[in-house]
């Protein structure tokens, strides 16, 4: 209820209680839940904006550069090997 997001194939938008961020690039992390996770991060940043201001360019850079080794990490070579730290049944089902 405190935030929402929507997007198309090229970009996405975040809407919070008092802040909107439009035309954002998708997070570099793979997976269906990453957009929800990114929107939750933006909601947290919005709530901290008075003590931790983060500008539009920093948000864009963070989305592009985010890296979490072991989170749907595709290893080079053949056969295709995917590493993931699915840590509970819901995460394992999503990975599957």
């Amino acid at each position: 209820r405190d935030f929402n997001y929507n997007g198309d194939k090229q970009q996405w938008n975040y809407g919070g209680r008092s802040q909107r961020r439009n035309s954002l690039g998708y997070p570099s992390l793979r997976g269906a839940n990453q957009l929800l996770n990114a929107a939750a991060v933006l909601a947290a940043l919005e709530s901290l904006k008075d003590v931790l201001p983060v500008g539009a360019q920093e948000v864009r850079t963070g989305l592009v550069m985010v890296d979490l080794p072991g989170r749907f990490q595709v290893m080079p070579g053949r056969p295709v090997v995917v590493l993931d730290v699915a840590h509970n049944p819901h995460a394992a089902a999503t990975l599957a």
Side-chain angles (χ1 to χ4, degrees), residues 86-95:
H87 57 282
N88 59 41
H90 185 263
T94 299
L95 175 62

Side-chain angles (χ1 to χ4, degrees), residues 56-68:
Q57 189 55 47
E58 288 85 5
V59 167
R60 292 177 192 288
T61 300
L63 289 169
V64 169
M65 297 192 66
V66 63
D67 182 39
L68 184 57

Side-chain angles (χ1 to χ4, degrees), residues 67-79:
D67 182 39
L68 184 57
R71 174 53 93 196
F72 207 92
Q73 181 179 356
V74 180
M75 303 301 291
R78 297 268 185 236

Side-chain angles (χ1 to χ4, degrees), residues 28-78:
S28 63
L29 296 177
R30 298 177 187 190
N33 292 328
Q34 296 310 320
L35 194 55
L36 173 59
N37 293 343
V41 167
L42 293 181
L45 289 175
E46 180 180 357
S47 71
L48 294 169
K49 68 183 176 195
D50 293 336
V51 294
L52 183 65
V54 178
Q57 189 55 47
E58 288 85 5
V59 167
R60 292 177 192 288
T61 300
L63 289 169
V64 169
M65 297 192 66
V66 63
D67 182 39
L68 184 57
R71 174 53 93 196
F72 207 92
Q73 181 179 356
V74 180
M75 303 301 291
R78 297 268 185 236

Side-chain angles (χ1 to χ4, degrees), residues 10-12 14 21-26 42 59-60 63:
Q10 300 297 319
Q11 60 193 5
W12 68 285
Y14 164 83
R21 294 184 187 261
N22 296 309
S23 304
L24 297 167
Y26 280 89
L42 293 181
V59 167
R60 292 177 192 288
L63 289 169

